[in-house]
Amino acid sequence: MKNISVMFLTTCLLGFNANAASILEGDRSVPVESTNGMVVTSHTLATDEALKVLKEGGNAIDAAVTAAFALAVTQPRSGNIGGGGFMIVSNDKNGQVDAIDYREKAPAKAYKDMFLDEDGNVNKDLARFSHKSAGVPGSVAGLALALEKYGTISLAKALAPAIRLAEEGFVVLPRFTKGTTSQKKRLSKFESSKKVFFKKDGSAYQPGELFVQKDLANTLKRIAEHGAKEFYTGKTADLIVEEMQRHGGYITKDDLANYEPAIRKPIHGTYRGYDIFSMPPPSSGGIHVVQILNMMENYDIGKLGHNSAATIHVMAESMKRAYVDRSAYLGDTDFVDVPTKGLISKEYAKSLIVPLSDKATSAKTLREGDAPAYESSETTHFSIVDKFGNAVSNTYTINFSYGSGIVVEGAGFLLNNEMDDFSSKPGVPNAYGLIGGDANKIEANKRMLSSMSPTVVKKDGKNFLVTGSPGGSRIITTTLQVISNVIDHNLNILAAVSAPRLHHQWLPDEIRVEEGFSPDTIHLLEAQGHTVTEKSAMGAIQSIMIKEGTFYGGADPRRSTSKAAGF
Ligand code: GLY
């Protein structure tokens, strides 16, 4: 593994818009090493609680479920029980790789045009910030399923740290205060949210203060006592349905009672001899991670150089072609046929990208559409490995930071606004600027398309890289860049997660870059006809690399609270 120089790494890290001060917290200069277990999450407390589970002899799945519930308490902007997600579980001993789909579902009353106004335009407020924006949550059922099928500890034990953190409170860090302060207007719209996130005088909790969540603690206790079914058929279900009825939401008792997570076959592809396992539909993540890597494989990216104009040209051209297909073909495979085999085939990828002109391909010649705007996103990913050969790659979300902004009265948790991930109207972009078609139209009980890409890369049949990220439409490109940084450029895992990233999603027709790219490189790309736009940091890719029996943890410095820890 190439050891990048301290100067290069420091330049990378300090170059980001993301909280540069974060790198001063803890030792962020080298990957964390261990041989018995490794946890990398976006919150120090979740990492600590999950690591305790591993140290007590639990496996990676036990630790993952513990981390997910701890994040639901300590990082309410994205950690959740009111949302959904995806988990890849890979076991080296038996070679089995499974994908757990606990994505939210549209309620039975949902219908295609539910977010259109009388003029046929998308009512964005209704789609994103109303009770109708919430899908039926899947997190509790999905995490319980993971534990039951692959874990060794009880649900009550996995919930215990979260209950303690909610009941006794935890000390607020600066990132928490920044989040609630910046979203104050949205989180104050509903009294149920305002009283959870702000003090009695209406002010935000400050760094160093204790944040206690009694209602959430009681909800988690009920789940610990009665099992996941409590959330779907017990008092928590009643509280959700009452919340819906008070505010015109669609989720009913039947929707909750009927919710079921699914175990699916992961997407499997290869990249330069490594095996890539990632999430199948209803996420677009796995298909497009593999498709873009397949296109890149036609060029010697390692030789072209890390983040050189030549490499970025190949990557951006590959990315935009994949996002055209995403908009045309991807949806919930329980409802629509997705040509998965074709999309991830090497031949198809080659036909899209070979030969490649030196000039940028205009997005308009690929497909027409309106130039959309980006919005902020929050999802959270964690990676965990254990000494038993298990690797867990988990991404879950309530969509935006703080989801719909609506806390269920009396239950203390935020509802997702995942219904905006459907295509409300063909050709009209969602919050991430993603354009969808009929395959992703709103239908009753359907899962909305996602970009979440929890991924496990294997080398010679053994777990090698565990990775994934938040970032809405940028999840796919963030994930594949870390894979390429490791495989093509031989970067160590911390350098791979820290290096400046780029993104192209067909529309808008621009290469979005983080700070840290050389002006020379940008000028070369512009001379090729690319529009290059520097915007805020993308993703938070919590990753683990496994080499010769040692686990290397790389926590993304773009999140001040990220932490890798092993033992
Ligand atoms: N809510 C973002 C995604 O699932 O892709």
Side-chain angles (χ1 to χ4, degrees):
M1 200 185 311
K2 196 186 290 173
N3 257 326
I4 60 165
S5 73
V6 172
M7 190 187 268
F8 169 66
L9 181 59
T10 309
T11 312
C12 284
L13 297 179
L14 292 177
F16 296 131
N17 276 337
N19 192 354
S22 67
I23 61 164
L24 303 176
E25 294 174 11
D27 184 358
R28 304 279 186 106
S29 57
V30 288
V32 177
E33 287 182 29
S34 72
T35 50
N36 284 308
M38 175 70 70
V39 179
V40 192
T41 83
S42 56
H43 200 284
T44 53
L45 292 170
T47 294
D48 293 347
E49 295 301 338
L51 193 67
K52 273 187 222 160
V53 173
L54 292 183
K55 282 184 175 168
E56 285 167 9
N59 69 14
I61 297 87
D62 301 329
V65 176
T66 304
F69 284 125
L71 284 164
V73 175
T74 57
Q75 191 172 273
R77 67 168 75 201
S78 53
N80 69 81
I81 57 171
F86 302 113
M87 182 186 285
I88 299 281
V89 180
S90 171
N91 183 295
D92 265 355
K93 297 248 161 75
N94 59 19
Q96 182 85 11
V97 188
D98 288 332
I100 305 176
D101 167 5
Y102 58 99
R103 181 72 160 166
E104 300 92 328
K105 276 183 165 183
K109 281 190 197 144
Y111 58 97
K112 182 169 169 278
D113 295 339
M114 64 184 269
F115 294 128
L116 301 189
D117 62 20
E118 57 272 23
D119 300 323
N121 297 319
V122 178
N123 179 338
K124 289 182 184 162
D125 255 7
L126 197 66
R128 297 173 192 175
F129 305 116
S130 77
H131 288 71
K132 289 190 175 71
S133 66
V136 182
S139 291
V140 174
L143 296 170
L145 174 68
L147 203 56
E148 193 185 307
K149 194 159 162 59
Y150 310 95
T152 66
I153 63 172
S154 67
L155 186 60
K157 192 163 162 56
L159 278 157
I163 293 170
R164 175 173 40 78
L165 289 164
E167 188 154 53
E168 296 173 12
F170 63 91
V171 176
V172 163
L173 294 172
R175 184 165 177 254
F176 184 97
T177 306
K178 277 185 206 147
T180 49
T181 304
S182 69
Q183 297 299 320
K184 188 165 180 184
K185 195 167 160 220
R186 189 146 73 82
L187 292 172
S188 301
K189 197 171 135 197
F190 291 92
E191 197 51 39
S192 58
S193 309
K194 193 174 166 189
K195 69 183 183 204
V196 166
F197 290 109
F198 299 97
K199 291 187 267 187
K200 284 210 167 67
D201 66 359
S203 64
Y205 287 87
Q206 295 302 309
E209 292 182 341
L210 207 59
F211 183 61
V212 175
Q213 300 167 85
K214 292 281 184 210
D215 283 346
L216 180 57
N218 288 333
T219 297
L220 297 172
K221 277 188 203 168
R222 288 193 300 275
I223 299 168
E225 192 180 344
H226 303 290
K229 66 177 187 314
E230 196 287 328
F231 186 92
Y232 296 93
T233 57
K235 180 172 174 191
T236 307
D238 291 342
L239 291 170
I240 295 171
V241 173
E242 284 161 21
E243 178 73 28
M244 290 289 145
Q245 287 169 347
R246 272 195 300 274
H247 297 279
Y250 282 162
I251 299 175
T252 63
K253 285 201 98 164
D254 279 350
D255 288 326
L256 288 161
N258 292 336
Y259 182 86
E260 276 184 9
I263 296 185
R264 302 187 189 274
K265 198 167 160 260
I267 294 295
H268 177 217
T270 61
Y271 186 60
R272 303 192 202 278
Y274 292 77
D275 287 281
I276 315 285
F277 294 91
S278 192
M279 204 61 215
S283 183
S284 61
I287 287 178
H288 296 305
V289 165
V290 168
Q291 186 189 15
I292 295 168
L293 289 173
N294 279 345
M295 285 189 253
M296 288 166 55
E297 205 176 38
N298 290 285
Y299 300 91
D300 191 346
I301 299 289
K303 219 176 201 164
L304 293 178
H306 182 248
N307 279 352
S308 66
T311 290
I312 294 171
H313 178 63
V314 173
M315 291 177 84
E317 290 295 316
S318 304
M319 289 171 183
K320 64 174 93 159
R321 283 158 175 77
Y323 279 85
V324 172
D325 282 349
R326 185 190 189 280
S327 114
Y329 296 120
L330 268 287
D332 180 357
T333 40
D334 287 348
F335 283 73
V336 293
D337 284 336
V338 173
T340 304
K341 222 171 139 198
L343 288 170
I344 63 170
S345 87
K346 300 268 187 206
E347 296 73 32
Y348 177 61
K350 191 170 179 183
S351 74
L352 292 176
I353 201 76
V354 179
L356 183 61
S357 159
D358 278 349
K359 292 280 168 221
T361 316
S362 158
K364 285 216 157 68
T365 67
L366 295 168
R367 173 122 358 144
E368 290 209 305
D370 294 326
Y374 287 102
E375 283 199 14
S376 74
S377 65
E378 264 301 341
T379 293
T380 190
H381 178 86
F382 55 81
S383 298
I384 301 181
V385 295
D386 64 27
K387 62 184 174 193
F388 311 111
N390 294 298
V392 174
S393 182
N394 187 90
T395 318
Y396 76 152
T397 189
I398 40 178
N399 198 17
F400 289 9
S401 286
Y402 309 99
S404 62
I406 301 168
V407 165
V408 176
E409 175 68 49
F413 65 88
L414 280 163
L415 288 167
N416 67 82
N417 60 344
E418 221 73 68
M419 292 294 286
D420 190 59
D421 272 353
F422 278 117
S423 174
S424 292
K425 187 178 175 183
V428 175
N430 76 353
Y432 305 107
L434 290 168
I435 294 175
D438 248 21
N440 190 33
K441 71 180 179 204
I442 303 173
E443 291 181 73
N445 303 315
K446 188 180 183 181
R447 286 175 160 99
M448 56 297 286
L449 188 59
S450 171
S451 298
M452 290 188 278
S453 315
T455 298
V456 173
V457 178
K458 287 189 173 203
K459 187 182 182 191
D460 304 325
K462 297 285 177 208
N463 294 329
F464 169 69
L465 180 62
V466 189
T467 191
S469 180
S473 56
R474 283 88 70 189
I475 292 173
I476 294 168
T477 51
T478 295
T479 304
L480 72 92
Q481 276 170 91
V482 167
I483 296 170
S484 170
N485 285 346
V486 167
I487 295 177
D488 291 317
H489 305 298
N490 214 18
L491 296 189
N492 76 43
I493 193 62
L494 186 58
V497 304
S498 304
R501 294 196 269 264
L502 67 122
H503 172 73
H504 201 306
Q505 61 175 50
W506 169 44
L507 293 169
D509 192 359
E510 65 178 18
I511 303 177
R512 174 178 169 164
V513 294
E514 296 180 326
E515 278 185 22
F517 284 83
S518 127
D520 296 354
T521 306
I522 293 172
H523 291 150
L524 285 170
L525 289 163
E526 285 169 345
Q528 286 179 281
H530 291 287
T531 300
V532 184
T533 317
E534 191 178 284
K535 288 185 178 161
S536 55
M538 296 181 273
I541 188 149
Q542 317 297 356
S543 309
I544 299 172
M545 183 198 280
I546 306 168
K547 233 180 157 190
E548 288 154 15
T550 302
F551 307 134
Y552 297 89
D556 198 324
R558 293 167 182 78
R559 292 285 181 277
S560 60
T561 52
S562 298
K563 181 173 177 181
F567 79 111

